[in-house]
Amino acid sequence: MSMVRRSSMDRMSSSMTSSMTGMGLGGITGITTGMSTMSCTREQPMTIGGMPSNYVPGLSAYYNISSFCQRPGQTRRWPMQRAGPTAQHRPGRSHSTGALHRMKHSMRNSPNTQYTHNLICKMADQNERRRRQDTLEMIPQSYYSQQPLKVELTEFYSRDNSKDHHTEQYDLVNDNILPNPVLRRGQNFFFAVRFDRTYDKQQDMIRLVFCFGPKPSVTKGTRVVLPVNWSTQQGVFQHSREMMGMGMGLGMSRIQDTSTGMATMGTIGTMGTMSSMGPMSGMRETTTYGVRRSSFSNEPLPLQHSPLSPHGPMDRPMIERYGGTTQHSSFGRGYGSRHGSRHGSMQNLAALAHDMDRWDISIQRQDGNTITFQVHVPATAPVGVWNCWVQTNRFGQRDNRHDYKCDEDVYILFNPWCREDPVYMDNESSRKEYVLNEQGKIWCGTWRQPKGRKWIYGQFDDVVLPACMYLLERSGLEHSERGNPVRVCRAISSMINANHDDDGLMVGRYDSEYKDGVAPHAWTGSVAILERYLSDGGRPVEYGQCWVFSGLVVTICRALGIPCRSVTNYVSAHDTNRTFTVDKYFDRDGNEVPNGPDEDCYDSCWNFHVWNDVWMQRPDLPQGYSGWQIIDSTPQEESESVYHCGPASVEAVRRGEVGFQYDTPFMYCQINAELCHFQEEENSEWGFIRMASNQYQVGRKILTKNPSRDDDEGESDMLEITHEYKTVDSSSPERLAIIASCRGYQRLQQYYEYPDRNFEDVYFDLMDIDIVPYGQPFDCTMNIQNKSHEDRTIWCVLTASSCYYTGAIASRVRRAQGEFIVRAGQREVLKLHVTPQEYMDKLVDHSMVKVHAMAYVKQTRQAWSDEDDFPLHKPRMQVQVRSQPCVGQECAITFSFQNPLNVQLTDCYFTFEGPGVQRPRQIRFRDVKPGEFVNYQDKFVPRRQGERRIVVTFSSRQMDEIFGCTSVTVRG
């Protein structure tokens, strides 16, 4: 019967033409879009399973007859043209001249045109129904399962995977709407997919594709294709934990779809190390290319272009491989795709489990339409935000493919718990401090009076990771290089300070003029800064200083998984002319000569400078130089035409290996340079003579927080690490040789031009100043002892000035100078008394005072100079939480302090925050009366249980930097 009908239709094709204009009527099931005439066209046959691939049920043979018919009751796509001489040809439909002539002739001679039209439609429909039944009997049932699998739901198990990956504290993981997976490289994670039907092991192809960056590339390691093969051994990569948490797996009760009443999920148990799993109800519907979010509807979306599709034809994958197709740029040791069959012995499979350098996937379990995968992320994967796609197609039909994009952003981080990761840290207590600790101390003050300031790093806040990823994008670092912690840390050091361009995170300012922004001392942590940065569209936040920048670096590095600590160097040199000295020039009256006699000396000596140490392996350096590496987010000189600094090996700095990358000479100079003072002298050949100075002053003390101690009230938690950075004997020949190699011969001669101290017979000493409370007077004292047997005529000057922590003078407070005679063998004491009225309106940030003393002995031309800095101590704030804090319950908190001044404080406000307790919050407060005891009460609602810290600061126009902190234990 089928052959008879097919022959009949073949004979009909030679004479049958359309009697209608192009109406595009209903019932179109296979019309060829490229038809150029109304004549029926014969399609080229292609067989699939013994039947033509273009054979559509309801059509006679190979002809699209029904495309010329309209079923009764259906609306025409194009209205019928009128019969008769006025009939017009409709644009958009191509007809041959003969066809138009016949159409007009037949319509002119037919008195019942509408009846004829309805008749042919009815007959065509009846014929279509008969052919459909015949086709159903002839086409194999397998024809109807030729479409690729369609994804209905996916589940990353963000919360449960995070327990093994040490990321359970990230707010992004615990988001109630769309938890995002935060994963550490070098480990495995579970991922489940529910399809619209059961997976056919013989015909269905599944690939997981992970993409990173705007132009993912397989050869650069930013595009990973993981083909799924059922022969992949289940549980090849065993999970590191004995149990996955409740709700981890797909051990689910059957889920009923409310719109269809269809049971969508079977029951899945656990395999290998997986425990019983929770319901699949946590799975979410996600966007897909060519398929609606919910596959229960048969209405397709317009097909979109998938970014996974490479340019050009796609070859059939080599399904015998287990691992992903990817190559990486080399770092540490070479790695790339491994070739060869994986169908070896169990020994080969066991060896594969320990191969950490490549992506891999295994099927953990299949139950009904749901498959649970275990994916291994190599320890060398680029760090950042990845996207996950699920590709499905039938075997041999890769062009007919469904691409399904998951909604979640997949954050992949460095892994200090993984031995194969270059940032691996083998001490658990160190990881707890330098990766997981959300708060710490940054040391300010002076080397004699260090003052620790509590800082909330808040690396787990939901705003931090997105801000980190955006900063890395703005840094210009190639996505393929973001698996190298050396390159990542170097990029971080360039993206914090925005003084020299608009791409940085924060604007640095040191002149106490902060009216158009936030004063550096008003910040309590990093979260508020990063949130403002994102909220303002990436515009740099105003304002910060080096210690604020250091706190931001700790937050960013710890959020990315890089162990990091904040380090303070007291008396930190900034040498601008590579003499390894910080030069200061004074005229005959003892006044400093700005920028030197030639106006080309911009050296400075900061009272303290804060940078960061990051922990990593350095395969680019000889053995022994790994461990802590210095990065400075306040770079003061360009390096490789960019303002960034480090990472420089701490061990290389200590040994003086200034030839090692990166920026080791600059860091060596910051802690080893000399402080040289020159005074104008008319008898000198070049107009100045060098005065005796303390050559050990630079790099006096280097501090960081003690990881094993916390002190909210005092400074007992500081840890001195000066010995890690410099040797004890700074005048050793090795040090002189290092400086000589950096200076060159001519500058080395200047290093030895010390005054002849054999003729020095007068001893000078500038006394240390003890703690001075804010608002109290103080005395500057200089001791003079004449050790000669003759009287000495001494000219001296003693000056007290307010200064910035960078060492720059802000205002002169008081000065005294004079000439007097010191008798042989006698002592003299000079004092300069300073009252609060003299300094109160001249103080700047950190309330520091610089005392400078200078003396000159006329008989011997002995010259001496020394200086000292000290801070005025402000009252501490008391922070008290009187009740037991509980998660989700309101709790009262009290801030109290006493105004030490006899003036009123105006423009007052508090700022307080605590990770898991209170996000950064600013509270405006009334004016404070002179000497008033302030007692302010507020409330907060804890979000996370455990031990938490709260940091509070108070600022006003007349006084700032009053801060306090407390620890609380929040119950669940």
Side-chain angles (χ1 to χ4, degrees):
M1 286 293 297
S2 174
M3 295 300 298
V4 173
R5 292 192 184 99
R6 187 169 299 178
S7 299
S8 175
M9 292 303 299
D10 289 342
R11 290 191 300 271
M12 188 189 308
S13 64
S14 61
S15 60
M16 189 185 82
T17 59
S18 175
S19 61
M20 313 294 294
T21 61
M23 300 179 191
L25 305 175
I28 299 178
T29 57
I31 186 169
T32 304
T33 57
M35 291 178 62
S36 58
T37 67
M38 287 297 295
S39 302
C40 297
T41 58
R42 185 181 185 89
E43 301 174 356
Q44 295 297 322
M46 181 185 303
T47 60
I48 297 180
M51 297 300 297
S53 62
N54 62 347
Y55 191 91
V56 181
L59 300 187
S60 299
Y62 305 145
Y63 298 100
N64 299 325
I65 296 177
S66 62
S67 62
F68 304 109
C69 306
Q70 178 185 3
R71 293 188 179 93
Q74 287 189 332
T75 305
R76 305 183 184 94
R77 295 187 186 180
W78 296 279
M80 283 189 57
Q81 293 184 345
R82 293 178 57 189
T86 60
Q88 301 290 328
H89 168 59
R90 273 207 174 272
R93 299 284 289 183
S94 177
H95 304 279
S96 65
T97 305
L100 287 173
H101 174 74
R102 286 188 293 273
M103 177 189 69
K104 294 179 181 180
H105 177 77
S106 63
M107 297 179 81
R108 231 186 352 256
N109 293 281
S110 176
N112 297 306
T113 303
Q114 185 62 46
Y115 172 79
T116 305
H117 165 72
N118 292 338
L119 182 61
I120 189 61
C121 288
K122 178 180 178 181
M123 292 178 174
D125 279 345
Q126 292 174 351
N127 184 69
E128 184 177 352
R129 286 193 294 272
R130 290 192 294 268
R131 300 291 80 76
R132 183 183 299 114
Q133 184 61 35
D134 292 344
T135 303
L136 291 175
E137 297 174 359
M138 298 174 62
I139 297 180
Q141 284 296 114
S142 61
Y143 171 81
Y144 295 101
S145 61
Q146 293 298 310
Q147 289 299 312
L149 290 167
K150 294 182 181 179
V151 177
E152 292 181 347
L153 299 176
T154 60
E155 177 57 57
F156 276 97
Y157 302 113
S158 300
R159 294 183 179 90
D160 297 282
N161 282 315
S162 68
K163 296 175 184 177
D164 276 340
H165 288 252
H166 305 278
T167 58
E168 65 272 17
Q169 296 186 64
Y170 285 87
D171 288 348
L172 292 176
V173 170
N174 299 296
D175 188 277
N176 292 325
I177 300 176
L178 183 65
N180 287 280
V182 180
L183 309 170
R184 297 195 189 274
R185 60 187 196 171
Q187 290 186 226
N188 313 320
F189 69 92
F190 288 94
F191 172 65
V193 183
R194 188 180 73 190
F195 297 100
D196 62 334
R197 58 177 173 81
T198 303
Y199 170 61
D200 186 341
K201 304 174 185 178
Q202 302 299 324
Q203 295 295 326
D204 286 321
M205 300 293 297
I206 304 174
R207 301 172 194 83
L208 297 188
V209 183
F210 293 89
C211 295
F212 179 44
K215 296 181 180 179
S217 169
V218 170
T219 58
K220 292 183 178 181
T222 56
R223 182 174 183 266
V224 180
V225 182
L226 300 176
V228 176
N229 189 342
W230 184 255
S231 62
T232 301
Q233 295 294 321
Q234 298 181 5
V236 167
F237 291 102
Q238 293 298 323
H239 218 262
S240 58
R241 292 173 63 97
E242 288 297 326
M243 296 180 61
M244 300 297 292
M246 292 302 296
M248 161 63 211
L250 302 178
M252 331 162 201
S253 56
R254 299 173 62 87
I255 298 177
Q256 300 290 330
D257 182 86
T258 55
S259 61
T260 63
M262 180 185 300
T264 61
M265 192 56 70
T267 302
I268 293 187
T270 57
M271 295 194 62
T273 60
M274 297 179 64
S275 67
S276 60
M277 300 181 178
M280 181 83 171
S281 58
M283 300 180 69
R284 292 162 302 282
E285 300 172 358
T286 55
T287 55
T288 178
Y289 281 74
V291 182
R292 294 186 67 86
R293 291 172 62 91
S294 174
S295 62
F296 296 125
S297 172
N298 293 324
E299 181 183 357
L301 286 175
L303 185 64
Q304 306 177 50
H305 174 67
S306 168
L308 298 176
S309 302
H311 302 288
M314 301 181 65
D315 297 328
R316 191 176 71 180
M318 299 181 64
I319 60 174
E320 67 272 10
R321 296 186 187 177
Y322 298 114
T325 305
T326 180
Q327 296 178 1
H328 301 263
S329 58
S330 61
F331 172 69
R333 60 179 182 269
Y335 48 92
S337 299
R338 305 284 179 94
H339 297 275
S341 173
R342 303 275 178 156
H343 299 289
S345 64
M346 290 303 295
Q347 293 180 351
N348 293 333
L349 293 175
L352 177 64
H354 298 285
D355 187 353
M356 307 294 287
D357 284 346
R358 61 196 308 276
W359 292 76
D360 216 322
I361 187 172
S362 63
I363 297 177
Q364 186 68 21
R365 184 175 181 85
Q366 180 183 11
D367 189 42
N369 297 356
T370 302
I371 301 179
T372 304
F373 302 102
Q374 190 177 28
V375 180
H376 175 71
V377 182
T380 50
V383 169
V385 182
W386 291 69
N387 293 317
C388 179
W389 297 74
V390 182
Q391 284 186 352
T392 57
N393 64 273
R394 299 289 286 179
F395 186 82
Q397 302 179 31
R398 192 165 180 177
D399 291 338
N400 180 23
R401 189 184 73 202
H402 286 289
D403 290 337
Y404 181 96
K405 183 180 180 182
C406 303
D407 280 343
E408 295 90 342
D409 290 328
V410 181
Y411 289 86
I412 294 181
L413 310 179
F414 291 102
N415 191 352
W417 283 266
C418 176
R419 291 184 178 273
E420 286 72 21
D421 198 304
V423 302
Y424 171 70
M425 182 174 271
D426 61 357
N427 186 282
E428 180 59 31
S429 62
S430 297
R431 289 193 293 256
K432 184 178 179 180
E433 172 67 23
Y434 299 123
V435 180
L436 300 179
N437 197 348
E438 297 180 78
Q439 59 84 33
K441 262 189 181 179
I442 301 175
W443 299 93
C444 302
T446 63
W447 74 275
R448 285 193 182 95
Q449 301 177 30
K451 183 169 64 175
R453 181 190 178 107
K454 282 287 185 180
W455 190 262
I456 301 299
Y457 299 125
Q459 65 266 30
F460 302 125
D461 192 272
D462 58 9
V463 76
V464 173
L465 272 182
C468 293
M469 302 309 167
Y470 181 73
L471 283 169
L472 287 177
E473 291 299 323
R474 295 292 297 270
S475 73
L477 181 65
E478 291 289 337
H479 291 78
S480 59
E481 294 184 341
R482 297 185 191 179
N484 185 339
V486 174
R487 303 299 298 173
V488 170
C489 289
R490 192 157 175 79
I492 291 172
S493 74
S494 70
M495 289 305 299
I496 303 300
N497 192 342
N499 278 349
H500 305 285
D501 52 51
D502 293 331
D503 287 338
L505 170 60
M506 199 170 207
V507 178
R509 192 158 191 170
Y510 306 88
D511 58 3
S512 296
E513 297 295 331
Y514 311 122
K515 295 180 180 179
D516 55 341
V518 178
H521 52 74
W523 302 108
T524 54
S526 304
V527 174
I529 299 171
L530 294 169
E531 187 163 31
R532 179 170 296 192
Y533 177 71
L534 286 186
S535 300
D536 291 347
R539 185 172 67 88
V541 180
E542 301 168 333
Y543 293 99
Q545 293 172 353
C546 73
W547 54 279
V548 179
F549 299 154
S550 177
L552 288 166
V553 170
V554 172
T555 299
I556 292 172
C557 288
R558 291 186 183 180
L560 294 176
I562 302 174
C564 183
R565 67 184 183 183
S566 179
V567 176
T568 300
N569 176 37
Y570 287 100
V571 191
S572 186
H574 178 205
D575 173 28
T576 59
N577 52 13
R578 298 184 181 180
T579 61
F580 272 69
T581 59
V582 175
D583 303 330
K584 288 187 177 183
Y585 296 86
F586 301 88
D587 61 18
R588 296 177 183 177
D589 297 327
N591 299 312
E592 186 174 351
V593 180
N595 304 329
D598 300 324
E599 297 186 353
D600 63 348
C601 180
Y602 302 98
D603 294 350
S604 62
C605 195
W606 292 26
N607 294 335
F608 68 89
H609 179 51
V610 189
W611 61 64
N612 296 90
D613 286 349
V614 289
W615 182 272
M616 66 182 68
Q617 298 294 317
R618 289 297 300 271
D620 56 326
L621 299 181
Q623 187 175 2
Y625 294 94
S626 296
W628 289 117
Q629 314 288 317
I630 306 168
I631 60 173
D632 191 350
S633 57
T634 318
Q636 301 163 25
E637 300 290 335
E638 286 188 355
S639 174
E640 300 175 353
S641 301
V642 178
Y643 282 92
H644 53 191
C645 183
S649 169
V650 171
E651 183 63 18
V653 171
R654 190 186 70 84
R655 296 183 184 182
E657 299 288 355
V658 293
F660 290 166
Q661 292 184 331
Y662 292 88
D663 308 304
T664 307
F666 181 82
M667 297 307 304
Y668 184 86
C669 179
Q670 286 201 64
I671 60 178
N672 287 285
E674 260 189 284
L675 182 60
C676 297
H677 288 182
F678 299 91
Q679 186 182 21
E680 190 176 8
E681 169 62 59
E682 59 183 6
N683 297 324
S684 173
E685 294 180 358
W686 64 292
F688 288 84
I689 62 170
R690 181 173 179 185
M691 296 182 286
S693 61
N694 192 341
Q695 63 179 339
Y696 308 110
Q697 186 171 2
V698 173
R700 277 286 181 90
K701 185 180 288 185
I702 302 176
L703 298 180
T704 189
K705 180 188 173 298
N706 191 328
S708 61
R709 184 176 299 179
D710 284 296
D711 187 350
D712 294 335
E713 300 295 332
E715 317 300 343
S716 65
D717 53 352
M718 69 180 180
L719 177 66
E720 184 171 357
I721 54 174
T722 309
H723 63 281
E724 297 183 19
Y725 281 83
K726 58 191 300 186
T727 58
V728 176
D729 185 8
S730 297
S731 61
S732 63
E734 291 80 7
R735 175 177 177 271
L736 301 182
I738 293 167
I739 294 175
S741 66
C742 296
R743 282 179 174 164
Y745 179 79
Q746 294 298 326
R747 288 177 176 171
L748 180 61
Q749 300 309 309
Q750 181 179 339
Y751 181 84
Y752 292 105
E753 290 179 359
Y754 283 112
D756 187 356
R757 295 188 175 180
N758 293 326
F759 299 98
E760 297 179 357
D761 52 16
V762 179
Y763 173 76
F764 300 96
D765 183 30
L766 181 62
M767 299 298 292
D768 298 341
I769 297 179
D770 292 331
I771 295 176
V772 179
Y774 194 84
Q776 298 297 314
F778 61 88
D779 292 321
C780 306
T781 304
M782 182 172 71
N783 293 331
I784 305 174
Q785 181 181 3
N786 183 2
K787 295 182 179 182
S788 71
H789 301 290
E790 301 176 1
D791 295 346
R792 294 292 183 230
T793 302
I794 299 174
W795 174 88
C796 66
V797 59
L798 193 58
T799 307
S801 307
S802 66
C803 69
Y804 301 99
Y805 85 96
T806 59
I809 300 299
S811 299
R812 179 181 294 175
V813 175
R814 192 173 183 186
R815 171 189 169 96
Q817 69 178 49
E819 183 177 298
F820 52 92
I821 296 175
V822 180
R823 300 300 178 182
Q826 297 297 311
R827 297 172 181 267
E828 293 289 344
V829 178
L830 301 181
K831 284 189 177 182
L832 182 67
H833 185 72
V834 180
T835 65
Q837 292 73 21
E838 291 176 303
Y839 69 73
M840 284 300 300
D841 58 345
K842 297 177 181 178
L843 294 177
V844 292
D845 290 348
H846 302 280
S847 302
M848 286 188 176
V849 177
K850 180 183 288 292
V851 179
H852 179 244
M854 188 175 356
Y856 180 76
V857 182
K858 288 191 173 183
Q859 288 83 357
T860 61
R861 297 177 61 191
Q862 176 185 347
W864 172 85
S865 176
D866 202 359
E867 61 184 36
D868 189 26
D869 304 280
F870 67 93
L872 296 169
H873 282 249
K874 298 177 181 178
R876 291 188 66 89
M877 183 186 302
Q878 298 298 318
V879 182
Q880 294 180 324
V881 178
R882 302 187 182 279
S883 59
Q884 174 64 57
C886 296
V887 173
Q889 296 182 15
E890 199 173 70
C891 184
I893 185 170
T894 302
F895 316 139
S896 58
F897 71 96
Q898 187 165 12
N899 179 10
L901 306 180
N902 57 0
V903 297
Q904 182 169 284
L905 306 182
T906 59
D907 296 337
C908 305
Y909 61 91
F910 292 95
T911 304
F912 85 104
E913 69 170 303
V917 174
Q918 173 65 57
R919 303 199 79 251
R921 181 180 168 205
Q922 189 177 96
I923 306 167
R924 287 290 171 182
F925 192 64
R926 58 172 175 78
D927 294 348
V928 177
K929 298 177 182 179
E932 178 185 354
F933 182 81
V934 177
N935 191 29
Y936 174 75
Q937 183 172 334
D938 206 275
K939 296 179 181 180
F940 65 93
V941 179
R943 295 178 289 113
R944 285 190 283 166
Q945 64 180 4
E947 186 176 355
R948 303 293 168 188
R949 278 182 171 79
I950 301 174
V951 177
V952 186
T953 65
F954 173 84
S955 299
S956 68
R957 184 181 297 275
Q958 293 75 19
M959 184 177 64
D960 49 36
E961 294 184 284
I962 297 178
F963 56 89
C965 61
T966 189
S967 300
V968 297
T969 300
V970 180
R971 293 181 179 176

